[in-house]
């Protein structure tokens, strides 16, 4: 194990590092952020416990990618938080999902696609991100700590017969 050394000085912008050095590469990179919200729902035409009204603390993992901006950031974590809050949390948190989502059976599989569409649309409306090719790469919706639905970019881009 190497010995810990306290830095003798803090790096100073403009002296120790220049603006053109802040962007280290020109690769697409992804960031992931996790969120939670609470909501109730029930499933139609389902034989099991979930046919009754019940609630979950849902966890959402959002992975977005883009090419870096001039200071070396692909997607700002704070912007990703705001996008989640405005597209998902404000609409679904502490709600009865069967009333607030479009007509659908409120399965994790249906919900993860709806969330994808909402988040991707919101991300595409931000010019700075659109200009750098920002896109949603993966979205995971945990209904319980051990049960989740996943949506990936390549699956959303596949041609399907129905929605």
């Amino acid at each position: 194990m190497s010995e810990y050394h306290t830095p003798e000085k803090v790096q100073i912008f403009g002296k120790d590092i220049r603006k053109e050095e802040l962007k280290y590469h020109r690769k697409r990179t992804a960031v992931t952020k996790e969120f939670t919200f609470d909501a109730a729902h029930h499933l139609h035409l389902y034989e099991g416990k979930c046919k009754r009204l019940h609630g979950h603390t849902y966890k959402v993992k959002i992975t977005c990618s883009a090419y870096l901006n001039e200071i070396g950031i692909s997607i700002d974590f704070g912007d990703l938080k705001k996008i989640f809050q405005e597209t998902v949390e404000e609409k679904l948190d502490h709600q009865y999902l069967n009333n607030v989502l479009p007509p659908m059976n409120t399965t994790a599989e249906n919900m993860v696609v709806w969330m994808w569409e909402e988040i991707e649309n919101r991300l595409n409306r931000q010019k700075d991100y659109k200009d750098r090719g920002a896109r949603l790469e993966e979205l995971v919706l945990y209904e319980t700590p051990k049960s989740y639905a996943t949506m990936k970019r390549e699956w959303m881009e596949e041609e399907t017969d129905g929605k």
Side-chain angles (χ1 to χ4, degrees), residues 4-140:
Y4 175 77
H5 296 283
T6 303
E8 293 180 20
K9 68 176 191 140
V10 175
Q11 187 180 63
I12 299 170
F13 178 73
K15 182 178 179 187
D16 301 309
I17 189 166
R18 299 180 318 273
K19 183 176 180 181
E20 58 273 11
E21 294 174 305
L22 298 177
K23 182 176 177 179
Y24 178 73
H25 62 83
R26 298 188 186 284
K27 306 289 184 191
R28 174 178 291 280
T29 57
V31 296
T32 301
K33 193 157 176 65
E34 296 182 3
F35 306 93
T36 61
F37 69 94
D38 298 293
H41 75 134
H42 69 93
L43 299 180
H44 300 283
L45 300 177
Y46 181 81
E47 290 306 318
K49 294 189 303 183
C50 294
K51 71 180 176 182
R52 295 189 301 270
L53 180 64
H54 64 286
H56 298 285
T57 296
Y58 290 92
K59 180 169 86 170
V60 181
K61 287 176 61 174
I62 302 172
T63 301
C64 292
S65 75
Y67 294 97
L68 302 185
N69 66 11
E70 68 280 354
I71 65 169
I73 295 174
S74 60
I75 307 283
D76 187 281
F77 288 113
D79 289 348
L80 197 50
K81 179 180 180 180
K82 184 177 181 183
I83 290 169
F84 171 79
Q85 288 172 330
E86 293 175 354
T87 60
V88 176
E89 187 177 45
E90 288 178 3
K91 295 175 183 176
L92 304 185
D93 190 39
H94 285 82
Q95 296 292 326
Y96 172 46
L97 299 176
N98 299 68
N99 281 349
V100 297
L101 286 169
M104 69 171 74
N105 214 8
T106 54
T107 62
E109 298 91 333
N110 277 336
M111 290 172 57
V112 77
V113 172
W114 175 84
M115 287 179 188
W116 181 286
E117 293 168 342
E118 295 293 306
I119 294 167
E120 181 91 337
N121 287 338
R122 176 64 168 74
L123 190 61
N124 286 334
R125 287 195 309 265
Q126 284 193 232
K127 184 179 177 355
D128 57 329
Y129 286 136
K130 189 174 183 178
D131 290 349
R132 291 187 289 110
R135 63 188 192 195
L136 198 49
E137 297 293 344
E138 183 174 80
L139 188 64
V140 181

